[in-house]
Amino acid sequence: MFAPDVQFDIDATRIEHRIVEPEWLVLVPATTAGQVAESQCTIGGTPSAPVIEMSSGSIDPLPEEQIQRLIRGENEGGTE
């Protein structure tokens, strides 16, 4: 559940094709409590049956280096 004041910037959404499953990384800029934030998720499955695999948010947008790791399927919060 999101805070009641969260505002998503749908027009600035970034969608990246990943080289691993699930195949899509979606980053949606947002603001909440006057702070710049970002919602992130990975989506797999099919167009008729999408599956959200990872869903998170952060107050600070992810740095480009971390986005590139997520595209490659590295450092997704699991243990290696």
Side-chain angles (χ1 to χ4, degrees), residues 33-72:
Q35 299 290 317
V36 174
E38 184 176 75
S39 181
Q40 305 105 16
C41 70
T42 55
I43 302 174
T46 65
S48 62
V51 177
I52 297 176
E53 299 282 334
M54 174 196 83
S55 180
S56 65
S58 62
I59 295 298
D60 294 317
L62 293 178
E64 186 62 31
E65 181 179 314
Q66 177 64 19
I67 292 169
Q68 293 305 313
R69 284 195 299 264
L70 290 171
I71 290 170
R72 294 188 304 266

Side-chain angles (χ1 to χ4, degrees), residues 1-63:
M1 182 61 83
F2 295 103
D5 73 330
V6 76
Q7 299 273 324
F8 294 100
D9 185 354
I10 302 303
D11 293 333
T13 297
R14 178 175 173 181
I15 301 171
E16 294 287 346
H17 187 253
R18 294 172 15 118
I19 60 173
V20 296
E21 289 291 327
E23 68 180 311
W24 300 104
L25 172 65
V26 182
L27 307 164
V28 184
T31 56
T32 184
Q35 299 290 317
V36 174
E38 184 176 75
S39 181
Q40 305 105 16
C41 70
T42 55
I43 302 174
T46 65
S48 62
V51 177
I52 297 176
E53 299 282 334
M54 174 196 83
S55 180
S56 65
S58 62
I59 295 298
D60 294 317
L62 293 178

